Amino acid sequence: MKKFSKTSALIALGLSFSLVSPTLANAAAPGKVGSTTLRASHPQKPTSWNYLQDGTSALMVPTYLNFLESLFETTEKGDLKPLLATSFTVSKDGLKYTINLRKAKFHDGSTFDSADVVYSIEKNKTSLNGVLNGPLASVKEVKASGPQKVIVTLSQPSNQFRAGLGKPTTMISPKGYFESNNVGKKLIGTGPFKFKRWEENIKLVLRKNNL
C-alpha cells in the first residue's frame, strides 16, 4: 500500500484507488509491493465537485487526468500528447484549430463525441476559475464537424489557447452534465478512474474504469 502523510491538522481529503494512479503515484512514498490500492491525503476539501466554480487543488489534484481528461496532455518537455484528441491543425493565420477526436466512453457508458467537446469548452469559458476560462478568452466559436472533429475559431492568434489544449482548460464532461442532478455531487469523465463515493470530510473513493 502507498500512502501520503497528512500534513495538516485539518481533516484531510483521503483518496482511495483500486489501482495506482499515474497522476499521484509519483508523489507517493514506497510501500507494500503488489498492492493495487493507493491512499493519499490532501489538507483541503473541495467546496463541491463542480469544477466550474471550485478551482482549488483539493478538486483538481485528485480529479484531473484521473476522472476528467483534457483533449491533450502536456508532457514534461511541454509538448502536447494526444489524450481525448488524436491531432490538430492550425490555419496559416492562426485563427482556426481543427481538432480530431478519438473514440471513447464516459463513465456512465455514453459515447464521447464532438458535441461533448463543444459543450465543455463553452461551459469552461464561463467558469469562475481562471485556469479554465483564461486560455479560452480568444475563443470566438466552437462547432462540431461530424462526430469526431471540432473546429475552434479564435478572435486573434493565441499561444495561451494552444497551451490550454493540454491543460484542465479543455477538460471534457458529457453534454448536459451541468444541467443534471450529478453536478456538484459526482464527476463523470473518461479517465482511468470512476467516481465511486465521497464521504464528506473523510474520503473520496475511486475505482478503476473498465470501459
Side-chain angles (χ1 to χ4, degrees), residues 115-135:
D116 304 302
V117 176
V118 172
Y119 172 82
S120 295
I121 290 179
E122 289 179 343
K123 285 293 184 181
N124 292 354
K125 188 174 180 179
T126 69
S127 173
L128 302 177
N129 180 359
V131 173
L132 298 183
N133 67 37

Side-chain angles (χ1 to χ4, degrees), residues 191-209:
F193 295 97
K194 293 182 177 183
F195 195 109
K196 185 174 182 180
R197 71 178 183 275
W198 162 235
E199 297 177 20
E200 191 169 2
N201 296 333
I202 301 175
K203 65 182 177 180
L204 168 67
V205 181
L206 290 68
R207 60 189 174 91
K208 182 182 177 184
N209 175 21

Side-chain angles (χ1 to χ4, degrees), residues 22 64-65 69-88 102 162-163 165-167 170:
Y64 180 50
L65 300 182
E69 295 180 307
S70 46
L71 295 177
F72 294 86
E73 181 180 359
T74 302
T75 68
E76 292 181 357
K77 294 182 179 180
D79 299 324
L80 293 176
K81 176 183 176 182
L83 200 55
L84 283 175
T86 58
S87 63
F88 71 95
R102 71 175 176 90
R162 185 185 182 109
L165 292 174
K167 296 180 180 179
T170 59

Side-chain angles (χ1 to χ4, degrees), residues 31-143:
K32 182 179 178 181
V33 175
S35 174
T36 60
T37 300
L38 169 65
R39 297 186 186 279
S41 64
H42 194 282
Q44 294 177 312
K45 66 173 184 176
T47 56
S48 81
W49 294 104
N50 184 342
Y51 62 83
L52 294 184
Q53 298 177 357
D54 189 329
T56 64
S57 62
L59 186 150
M60 287 296 177
V61 168
T63 59
Y64 180 50
L65 300 182
N66 290 317
F67 289 150
L68 300 164
E69 295 180 307
S70 46
L71 295 177
F72 294 86
E73 181 180 359
T74 302
T75 68
E76 292 181 357
K77 294 182 179 180
D79 299 324
L80 293 176
K81 176 183 176 182
L83 200 55
L84 283 175
T86 58
S87 63
F88 71 95
T89 58
V90 186
S91 61
K92 290 183 179 180
D93 60 8
L95 298 180
K96 184 175 291 186
Y97 283 69
T98 301
I99 304 169
N100 299 302
L101 309 176
R102 71 175 176 90
K103 293 182 179 180
K105 293 280 189 181
F106 285 104
H107 299 152
D108 62 0
S110 60
T111 299
F112 160 73
D113 63 21
S114 56
D116 304 302
V117 176
V118 172
Y119 172 82
S120 295
I121 290 179
E122 289 179 343
K123 285 293 184 181
N124 292 354
K125 188 174 180 179
T126 69
S127 173
L128 302 177
N129 180 359
V131 173
L132 298 183
N133 67 37
L136 300 176
S138 61
V139 172
K140 182 178 179 181
E141 181 184 43
V142 189
K143 65 179 182 179

